[in-house]
Amino acid sequence: MMTSIAPRRATRAARDGTPDSHGFATRPYDLVKEFVVALIVVTLLTVGLAAAFSSPDEKAVTMRDWASAAPNDVVATAAGELAGTTKSAGFGPPYNTAANGGSLGPLKLQKWAGVTIPLDSAQDLVLTPLAGVTDNSKLTDALAAWQSAAADQQTQWATDYSDALAKAPDGDPAGVATGDYGPVPAIAAGFLTFAQTGGLEGALTSSGNFYGGDQTKSLLLLADGAYLEDQARARNLGGDQWGMTNETGNYPGQPWMWLYTFWYQVPPFSTSDNADALVWGLMMLLTLGLVLVPFIPGLRSIPRWIPVHRLIWRDYYREHPRR
Amino acid sequence: MVLIADGAGRYISSGVIQISVTNLAIIVLMILVFVLAVVLPFPGRHHDDSSDRDS
Amino acid sequence: MTAVDTGQPPVATPTSWTARLRDRISHIVPPGQALPDRQPAYMSSWIYVFGVLTLAALFVVIATGALLALGGVTWWHVSSLGRFVNSLHLWSVELFFAFMVVHLWGMFWMAAWRGNRALTWMTGVVAFLGSIGTAFTGYLSQANFASQWISTQAKDGLNSVGIGAFFNVLNPAQMLLWHVMLLPLVLGVIVVLHVVLVRRHGIVPPVDAHEETAS
């Protein structure tokens, strides 16, 4: 029985002059066999590569690791959170309103998306976790002194202490010049002690929630310090080291990210405060270009100008010389 | 060209370009595979017919 | 004329939803063209096998991911078997991307979007992008140093354009669910669409080929 479909489709050329593929001479070809062979080949290759090279797994940095490897960085970060000078405190949406963040020309996308993950860096990353510490009377007194001070006074103490730490040799709290820092040195020292005991992660991620699945606070705190970035840079993972394409050790990374990470290496992006939004916008534009290649004059003709296809279909062209 | 060798992987650096030896090897291998796929003759091409239509 | 149990598809415009769906399906991919046992004679290059290799690698990626899911998030950090399964997953992904990019190069140089195949090209590119997104959430689900660094870096990029407001890369529980559920589902649908389109139009004829009038 004839269906109404086959004859209508059989020999119709497309608008660009490409004939229907069903109008050509054929030969036997076993698609299912091809797939099964491909599956076996890929499986064997996968098992071979996995057995030969394994996979990377560098342990996550714990707060205790951070506190024992870079105690001065932990103290400086705690003081910075209280002063409101850390990256998270000045980030803007979605955490707070301290900045507008990135923009694409008139499109202030970061600002428009709003504060959906509200975060008070001083309160949520330092003071609240420390509030649960009960066996450190110096810390308890310091926290009480902080709470009873006016906001201006708090900021003054914390900013002065942050600046003094930055001037001290190696940022060592023991080498800080004398000054009026209020309870801030005691709070920062208590924070370091708490991190060293290993209790900080729990206090950050699961306060009020038995199941701590969300690591937003602990990751923001870790990224506010210098230690995580130092570790990453030592492994060539920094943003200006093409880090997006790289993996720890000698393992393969994500080479397909080469173009995205490339823009971060060159001006104007490498020197722009708005690089994140600009690079993202540019990549979306280029990606749209890739999607729309069939419709872009010039771009869609490149395969015609550089005739790799003469090689791919050389058998066909040999048997069908140009008319 | 500078070869940065340390415990954190082998990297090749030249001007603005920096790439891990592993990633470079993978990219070179992919290009090689592409060239071979285009150049090597595909088996099983026998002219057993020329009129049969795939319908 | 009515389509009364003749064992044949109805010729008149069908009215039942089932008949309409069947008609629609056979219109998209006519019978015999879903899995033809013959191909155009011009299909004679190794470059054609990279589409199938990509699809095969995707099967291995999903299978090894399923194995990895058996033990949960922390299993592969503490078990050598888990570590090996993780290695299988990593290397199948590397193969998947390598085959996919070689396939993309091939399709570009063949200008495979010709002959009403633009949607096939576009779904292919979208599948590539979806794969990058899925791989990205996989890196965030590793629960190790790389996850810490990648997530804290990525938050800057994604927040700068407002995406971070609802797609929180610092929340590994959210990222894991995107990685093992939402993105594979979306990617699977796009890949099925891509393959159906390839079968519907058949493989693209050579540039400047003329139909053979073999009458």
Side-chain angles (χ1 to χ4, degrees):
Chain A
M1 162 140 187
M2 283 268 283
T3 64
S4 59
I5 298 147
R8 185 153 51 82
R9 288 177 44 79
T11 54
R12 196 181 51 181
R15 247 191 322 179
D16 61 14
T18 305
D20 192 310
S21 65
H22 302 101
F24 287 83
T26 63
R27 66 189 179 92
Y29 196 88
D30 197 339
L31 284 176
V32 173
K33 187 175 165 191
E34 182 191 23
F35 178 78
V36 171
V37 171
L39 197 58
I40 292 168
V41 167
V42 175
T43 304
L44 290 178
L45 270 176
T46 301
V47 172
L49 287 164
F53 297 117
S54 188
S55 50
D57 186 22
E58 284 208 22
K59 279 175 67 112
V61 173
T62 64
M63 298 299 175
R64 185 190 274 175
D65 294 339
W66 182 20
S68 60
N72 299 345
D73 184 39
V74 174
V75 171
T77 305
E81 303 291 10
L82 293 177
T85 54
T86 56
K87 207 174 166 191
S88 71
F91 195 89
Y95 310 123
N96 50 51
T97 53
N100 285 338
S103 61
L104 287 167
L107 304 178
K108 299 190 187 324
L109 297 174
Q110 182 167 355
K111 189 182 177 196
W112 294 343
V115 180
T116 54
I117 308 167
L119 179 93
D120 177 338
S121 290
Q123 192 63 48
D124 294 334
L125 302 186
V126 177
L127 298 170
T128 301
L130 287 182
V133 179
T134 53
D135 58 350
N136 185 338
S137 61
K138 248 177 102 176
L139 176 62
T140 311
D141 293 346
L143 287 171
W146 174 270
Q147 300 296 358
S148 58
D152 287 355
Q153 176 69 74
Q154 292 173 337
T155 309
Q156 190 67 53
W157 282 333
T159 309
D160 288 349
Y161 188 56
S162 265
D163 293 347
L165 278 173
K167 284 182 195 136
D170 291 334
D172 187 349
V176 162
T178 48
D180 179 18
Y181 311 124
V184 174
I187 293 174
F191 191 73
L192 176 62
T193 309
F194 190 39
Q196 282 164 338
T197 62
L200 188 49
E201 279 99 334
L204 281 165
T205 55
S206 61
S207 52
N209 177 12
F210 181 85
Y211 295 98
D214 185 355
Q215 308 293 332
T216 304
K217 287 175 190 165
S218 50
L219 282 169
L220 283 174
L221 176 68
L222 199 59
D224 280 342
Y227 180 70
L228 182 69
E229 179 158 13
D230 288 346
Q231 294 301 306
R233 295 197 66 82
R235 290 161 178 77
N236 290 296
L237 302 178
D240 55 359
Q241 296 173 305
W242 297 68
M244 231 181 262
T245 56
N246 299 343
E247 177 57 85
T248 53
N250 280 315
Y251 287 96
Q254 305 182 65
W256 51 87
M257 298 294 276
W258 70 274
L259 190 58
Y260 198 120
T261 195
F262 164 75
W263 300 115
Y264 283 96
Q265 322 301 321
V266 293
F269 309 104
S270 58
T271 52
S272 168
D273 289 338
N274 196 27
D276 285 317
L278 293 179
V279 171
W280 197 88
L282 178 63
M283 283 307 290
M284 284 306 108
L285 208 65
L286 292 173
T287 301
L288 196 66
L290 185 63
V291 172
L292 298 177
V293 158
F295 306 106
I296 300 174
L299 206 55
R300 67 179 174 193
S301 302
I302 293 175
R304 207 175 267 280
W305 299 331
I306 305 173
V308 178
H309 66 266
R310 303 290 308 181
L311 266 175
I312 293 173
W313 285 306
R314 59 185 177 279
D315 290 344
Y316 177 86
Y317 290 122
R318 198 182 306 123
E319 288 155 24
H320 301 79
R322 279 186 221 201
R323 294 176 196 171
Chain B
M1 196 136 100
V2 187
L3 197 68
I4 304 168
D6 57 26
R10 291 186 304 276
Y11 280 76
I12 291 171
S13 234
S14 172
V16 80
I17 308 283
Q18 180 175 343
I19 187 168
S20 79
V21 172
T22 311
N23 278 353
L24 183 67
I26 285 176
I27 291 168
V28 168
L29 209 64
M30 282 168 65
I31 293 172
L32 190 73
V33 165
F34 176 77
V35 170
L36 288 178
V38 168
V39 170
L40 287 183
F42 190 70
R45 188 176 153 77
H46 32 79
H47 308 271
D48 64 335
D49 77 345
S50 58
S51 59
D52 198 6
R53 289 285 186 277
D54 174 27
S55 57
Chain C
M1 182 175 152
T2 49
V4 189
D5 204 16
T6 57
Q8 301 287 349
V11 175
T13 309
T15 50
S16 89
W17 292 11
T18 308
R20 280 187 198 174
L21 179 63
R22 182 186 58 216
D23 194 47
R24 178 99 192 134
I25 290 171
S26 65
H27 182 78
I28 292 171
V29 181
Q33 288 185 16
L35 284 173
D37 52 6
R38 303 185 69 82
Q39 289 292 330
Y42 57 75
M43 180 193 185
S44 170
S45 170
W46 281 105
I47 201 69
Y48 285 105
V49 305
F50 285 88
V52 165
L53 277 171
T54 308
L55 194 63
L58 181 60
F59 274 62
V60 179
V61 168
I62 292 170
T64 53
L67 283 178
L68 203 49
L70 287 175
V73 185
T74 52
W75 175 49
W76 73 280
H77 296 294
V78 293
S79 147
S80 54
L81 177 63
R83 181 69 172 271
F84 181 67
V85 173
N86 180 72
S87 307
L88 291 175
H89 195 53
L90 169 76
W91 286 102
S92 60
V93 169
E94 294 288 340
L95 290 170
F96 171 68
F97 270 95
F99 292 145
M100 182 162 44
V101 170
V102 172
H103 175 62
L104 188 152
W105 292 343
M107 293 308 118
F108 176 79
W109 291 115
M110 292 156 85
W113 50 78
R114 290 171 297 120
N116 299 325
R117 289 174 181 80
L119 199 58
T120 316
W121 170 270
M122 289 158 78
T123 49
V125 174
V126 172
F128 178 50
L129 299 175
S131 304
I132 291 175
T134 311
F136 169 64
T137 51
Y139 279 93
L140 300 182
S141 303
Q142 294 178 103
N144 61 10
F145 172 75
S147 308
Q148 288 179 313
W149 177 246
I150 294 170
S151 62
T152 50
Q153 287 290 291
K155 77 162 197 314
D156 295 342
L158 292 172
N159 281 326
S160 75
V161 286
I163 294 172
F166 54 90
F167 181 79
N168 183 9
V169 292
L170 302 182
N171 183 349
Q174 186 188 8
M175 291 305 105
L176 180 67
L177 288 174
W178 278 71
H179 180 65
V180 302
M181 175 68 210
L182 296 173
L183 290 173
L185 197 67
V186 172
L187 187 62
V189 169
I190 296 168
V191 168
V192 166
L193 210 69
H194 183 69
V195 172
V196 166
L197 282 167
V198 171
R199 292 292 6 120
R200 179 201 164 118
H201 293 289
I203 56 168
V204 71
V207 174
D208 292 332
H210 296 283
E211 200 155 341
E212 293 154 25
T213 44
S215 52

